[in-house]
Every structure is written in structure tokens, then in C-alpha cells.
Amino acid sequence: MSLTDYVTLGQSGLRVSPFCLGAMTFGEEWGWGASVAESETMMARFLERGGNFIDTANVYTKGHSEKIIGDYVGRDRSRRDRVVIATKFFGNLYNGDPNGGGAGRKAIASSCEQSLRRLQTDYIDLYWMHSWDRFTPIEETLRALDDLVRAGKVRYIGFSDTPAWKVAQAQTIARFRGWTPLIALQLEYSLIERTVEGELIPAALELGLGVTPWSPLRGGVLSGKYTRENARTMKADRGERVTQFLDERSFAILDELARLASAHATTPAAVALSWVQSRPGVSSTIIGARRLDQLEQNLAALDVRLTPDEIASLDKLSQPALNFPANFLKAAGMFMHAGATVNGERSIVWPLSPKTDAERY
């Protein structure tokens, strides 16, 4: 696979590269990001390799991330039209202003105009709701986004970090009313965070939404730099978000990643990224980096082909505990099909089912 093996995102005609360059690290305002020069170097390399998908948000590095992208991509029209720029609204850049963030019409309109200014473009390719706003009716959010699409300021819309039931409600309303539908979901997904497989991934598959995972290395936990030996002393820039996952489960996963990395002559990070990209529903995985060498290491995952047995070994070690009714539904075939095979899925005979015609009432 290469960055030029483009895929259409969800049920849309938008072509995106299989890896998306995440720009949360663009800018040093948060204390651990990349300089402007390094950010531009990474964008140049990503585009040179054929990548065309860049993801940011209005609040990343206090708005500087969008400006860095705008300075490099937005002001060059020939470059701008070849790049798919995704950004997000919801985050508030104005302390004390209740309408500075969220998903109400006023906040969306204002956030969009400010993002367009920082990105130095007159349109946003994919506009994400960064998180669910429980204080705003979803109809208001959807209609405001539809207005932006009709005005030509936004091309496509998607939701990030939103419950599956709210995503389903929104998509149903949008289609019923003829408003712009969602084309994708952005959610956290990695060998450490797999609970999205309970509701969000099935919702995306059912509703025709492409999935763009964020934090596929869980903030660097799966990069291979953390070990049982250095876990207590290794400094993590993102603090608790990383250190809380340096436990035995994670180290068991890291051990297997190291074994597979050796077998494929690559890095644990590349194996972890290859696993995420192979998951059902995943369209384009968001990779982040602070240096060019980190970006190159992540892009190496495009050359990794895990076998079914290798994927199964990682699946077993990282098996998540899902909410009800996930486990119940796994056993439903037993009393639904009573030993029959349907769509290639075998079932066993339910022990409590009638064994003879005489036992049936």
C-alpha cells in the first residue's frame, strides 16, 4: 500500500489517502509540539509521498495549527485545491464567552469564519463537530452545517467523539429532511482503546460512514519507546494520558508488537498502525508526529502486511470489555439458528431447545 492508494470516505465521492496527517502537534504553544519549520517540512514530505488529507481543529495550539496549514497550503491555490483540509468546531478560544464554543448556530458560524481566515481558504473540505454538544438540539447543529455547505464554505461534514446513538439520530434526521448527511466519524481507536467496537464502529458500517481513527498509538504508548524498565522514569509530555496506560496489559501488547516488528523488519509503531488500518470500517488513520523522522516511521506502516494469525494474536491480547448487549449478542445465534450455518457463520444447538417434535408445544 502507498499514500496514493486513495479511498472514498464513507458514502461520498471525497478521495482521501489511507493515512491522514494529524496537525494537533503543529505549533509549540502547548509545550510539546513541532516548530513552524518542522511542521512545514512534515507537510511537504507527506504531500510529496502522495498524501492529500490533513486534519486539524480550531483549538489546536490555540489556533496556530490552522494558521501554519494556511500559510503553507491555503495561500498557494494550486496546492490548496489538491489537499483535503479537515478542521473542527466546538472548542472555545474565548474564556468566559458561552457562545464561543459548542455546536449552536452562532458558535458554528463564527468558528467557521475564523477557521477560514486562519486557513487562508474560502472553503473547508471536511468540517467536523469536535464533540457532542448536549446543550444544543441536534437539528440546530445539522441545519447550521447544511447552510454552510449550501453557501459553499464547507464541502462535507462529519462527527468526532460523539455517542453512537446520537450519530444515528443525526444521520436519520439529516437524510429524512434532505439536509447534508454525515460522511465520516472520527474516534479514538488503537490496540489499547478498542471499546468503539461495541457501538461506534457498527454504527459507522450501518450508516455508511468512513472511520478516521485518532491516537492510533495511544499518545505514544504503542510507539515502542516505553518499556517495563523505563516506565517509572520515562517522562511523558502528555502526562497522565500516557502514564495511566503503562500497565501489564499494555506491555503484553508491546511485547507482541516487538516480536512482529522483528519478523517484518519494521518498528512496533508501524505494526500497531497497520493493525488499526486493517480494521473493519477504517478509511484513513490519523497519524501525528513532532519530527520528520517520526512521520517517516509512521508512514512505514504502509509497507506492513500482517497475516490473519498475526492480527489474531494482537486481537487476543487487546480484547476489550464491551458494554451490554455485546456479549449477549455473541450468543444470540445459538438460539436463533439452532445449529444452522447462516451467511458463513456457524451456530451450535441451544441446549434448551426442543430435541424432538414431541417436545414442542
Side-chain angles (χ1 to χ4, degrees):
M1 181 188 294
S2 73
L3 280 176
T4 56
D5 289 323
Y6 305 108
V7 297
T8 51
L9 190 55
Q11 292 181 344
S12 81
L14 184 64
R15 279 77 161 166
V16 297
S17 47
F19 278 176
C20 172
L21 181 58
M24 190 172 75
T25 55
F26 287 10
E28 300 172 291
E29 284 73 14
W30 286 348
W32 43 263
S35 67
V36 172
E38 192 72 12
S39 300
E40 291 182 347
T41 298
M42 288 189 287
M43 280 189 283
R45 181 57 176 153
F46 184 72
L47 297 178
E48 176 187 313
R49 289 278 299 268
N52 75 334
F53 194 10
I54 300 177
D55 181 83
T56 186
N58 67 325
V59 292
Y60 288 170
T61 54
K62 305 179 182 180
H64 195 194
S65 173
E66 286 186 328
K67 187 175 187 305
I68 291 172
I69 295 169
D71 288 341
Y72 187 76
V73 177
R75 64 173 54 167
D76 182 342
R77 192 68 195 193
S78 63
R79 182 181 289 159
R80 169 66 189 98
D81 287 341
R82 290 186 288 109
V83 176
V84 175
I85 295 179
T87 191
K88 308 176 191 74
F89 65 91
F90 180 87
N92 198 327
L93 289 167
Y94 302 95
N95 291 337
D97 180 1
N99 290 304
R105 177 178 286 274
K106 179 178 174 62
I108 291 174
S110 177
S111 294
C112 183
E113 293 298 334
Q114 293 171 30
S115 288
L116 290 171
R117 173 177 54 79
R118 285 189 290 265
L119 291 167
Q120 300 182 54
T121 182
D122 53 8
Y123 69 97
I124 294 165
D125 292 292
L126 176 56
Y127 205 29
W128 299 102
M129 180 174 74
H130 207 153
S131 185
W132 172 43
D133 176 1
R134 61 191 179 90
F135 297 100
T136 301
I138 199 64
E139 293 87 348
E140 179 179 336
T141 300
L142 291 169
R143 185 55 196 275
L145 291 171
D146 184 63
D147 286 345
L148 290 178
V149 172
R150 292 175 187 272
K153 296 180 179 181
V154 168
R155 299 290 192 258
Y156 298 93
I157 64 171
F159 279 6
S160 176
D161 309 326
T162 297
W165 63 268
K166 180 55 68 171
V167 172
Q169 181 194 39
Q171 189 73 325
T172 300
I173 290 173
R175 286 180 168 164
F176 181 75
R177 296 192 175 181
W179 296 342
T180 304
L182 310 176
I183 67 164
L185 290 183
Q186 187 175 138
L187 42 81
E188 184 177 1
Y189 198 10
S190 70
L191 279 162
I192 291 177
E193 177 50 80
R194 289 182 56 191
T195 57
V196 292
E197 294 174 8
E199 298 284 351
L200 282 162
I201 295 295
L205 292 169
E206 188 72 17
L207 297 168
L209 304 172
V211 174
T212 65
W214 59 266
S215 198
L217 298 179
R218 198 56 177 83
V221 175
L222 298 172
S223 67
K225 68 180 179 180
Y226 297 101
T227 65
R228 289 179 177 83
E229 292 70 32
N230 70 20
R232 293 180 179 275
T233 58
M234 190 84 157
K235 180 180 181 297
D237 290 330
R238 303 188 192 186
E240 180 70 10
R241 176 162 175 75
V242 171
T243 57
Q244 66 175 314
F245 289 99
L246 296 177
D247 55 20
E248 186 53 40
R249 175 176 179 264
S250 295
F251 288 125
I253 294 171
L254 283 167
D255 289 343
E256 183 64 3
L257 288 175
R259 184 185 75 82
L260 295 176
S262 178
H264 287 269
T266 189
T267 64
V271 175
L273 289 169
S274 180
W275 178 89
V276 172
Q277 190 62 19
S278 73
R279 305 308 289 174
V282 171
S283 299
S284 181
T285 299
I286 300 172
I287 55 172
R290 287 183 296 166
R291 302 188 310 270
L292 181 60
D293 64 301
Q294 292 177 334
L295 175 63
E296 296 284 13
Q297 291 169 16
N298 288 342
L299 292 178
L302 293 165
D303 299 322
V304 178
R305 292 291 181 275
L306 298 176
T307 68
D309 286 344
E310 290 171 336
I311 291 175
S313 71
L314 290 170
D315 287 352
K316 183 177 180 180
L317 287 170
S318 61
Q319 188 66 37
L322 301 177
N323 291 336
F324 177 86
N327 289 333
F328 181 85
L329 293 176
K330 289 181 181 179
M334 177 177 62
F335 59 90
M336 175 170 57
H337 292 140
T341 298
V342 178
N343 290 340
E345 186 174 302
R346 300 180 62 184
S347 67
I348 62 174
V349 176
W350 189 29
L352 301 180
S353 65
K355 302 301 184 293
T356 65
D357 290 341
E359 290 181 314
R360 297 186 185 90
Y361 286 96

